[in-house]
Amino acid sequence: MPRRLAKDLASFADLASDYEADKDFRIIQVPRPESATAVLAPHGGGIQAHTSDIARAIAGSEFGLYLFEGLLRAGNFTSLRLRGDRFDEPGCLQMLQACDRVVSVHGLGSPGEVVLLSGRDLALSAAIAERLVAAGLTVEEAPARLSGSDPNHVCNRGRSGAGVLVEISMDLRRSRRRVALVRAVREALLGGDTGASAVPAPMAL
């Protein structure tokens, strides 16, 4: 039987029934029990290029990290990009239940170097936006069709029920200026996490 495309998948269980772990995709989890913050890239690896690298750099050694990465030779986006409001991989949800703040890093198809922000954690979103603008980056509010305001979106599945969706254009994901993006998001997170010390952002991007 042909494997379904991502648009036809209603849940992670559907995806896992058609695609094989550690062959077609892999999951990386690095929990940080000392921090109540998690950084996700649910469309990492070959699904949305560079989102894994950016999420890993934002998480650093302070924040929990979760990556779902496509490993197919081709067609990762159409095959494995499970929508954010359908992303219910059990290990991810279990990890998020110990987190009050969630930042989910996604790709964006818009031209130019731009970041779209949305989600239900308005205070954290505003803090991230302020630092991104200060770094000289273009920040816009996500349109409704891309918004992370749905309570079922993975960015909102933490303990508080509110997180931030950070969507990054390919031009910015490829740019050296993504280092400034990582630093800005980390500054916003470190400013609100008393359990983490403010250290420089990892530069290995």
Side-chain angles (χ1 to χ4, degrees):
M1 174 182 288
R3 297 194 286 192
R4 289 169 289 182
L5 297 178
K7 66 182 179 62
D8 300 317
L9 303 174
S11 66
F12 179 79
D14 281 354
L15 187 152
S17 70
D18 282 14
Y19 299 91
E20 184 177 343
D22 299 320
K23 179 182 177 184
D24 302 322
F25 66 87
R26 70 176 163 224
I27 294 170
I28 297 172
Q29 285 185 252
V30 185
R32 303 284 184 193
E34 68 278 11
S35 174
T37 298
V39 182
L40 318 178
H43 302 149
I47 303 172
Q48 291 179 328
H50 309 299
T51 57
S52 286
D53 300 334
I54 293 170
R56 193 185 294 275
I58 292 172
S61 60
E62 296 81 17
F63 309 123
L65 176 69
Y66 177 93
L67 308 176
F68 177 87
E69 300 187 322
L71 302 177
L72 298 173
R73 290 186 178 181
N76 284 279
F77 183 90
T78 55
S79 299
L80 297 171
R81 183 189 165 275
L82 191 62
R83 274 176 24 185
D85 59 345
R86 297 178 180 177
F87 195 90
D88 58 354
E89 194 276 312
C92 180
L93 297 188
Q94 182 178 5
M95 178 178 172
L96 296 187
Q97 285 308 300
C99 297
D100 295 314
R101 300 187 307 171
V102 178
V103 172
S104 195
V105 177
H106 296 236
L108 177 68
S110 299
E113 296 185 3
V114 61
V115 180
L116 299 187
L117 295 177
S118 61
R120 297 171 67 86
D121 190 337
L122 302 183
L124 180 57
S125 182
I128 291 173
E130 180 181 359
R131 286 165 175 80
L132 289 173
V133 170
L137 297 170
T138 299
V139 183
E140 300 174 2
E141 185 176 353
R145 65 182 177 83
L146 297 177
S147 176
S149 61
D150 188 329
N152 290 320
H153 195 285
V154 67
C155 75
N156 299 317
R157 299 295 291 272
R159 194 160 51 191
S160 68
V164 178
L165 172 58
V166 181
E167 297 174 283
I168 309 165
S169 68
M170 177 61 88
D171 286 342
L172 182 53
R173 281 179 274 150
R174 289 173 173 165
S175 170
R176 292 183 179 181
R177 278 159 51 87
R178 69 180 183 175
V179 172
L181 178 146
V182 166
R183 187 179 296 275
V185 178
R186 281 176 55 80
E187 286 175 353
L189 290 172
L190 288 164
D193 192 331
T194 57
S197 57
V199 297
M203 294 293 104
L205 285 170

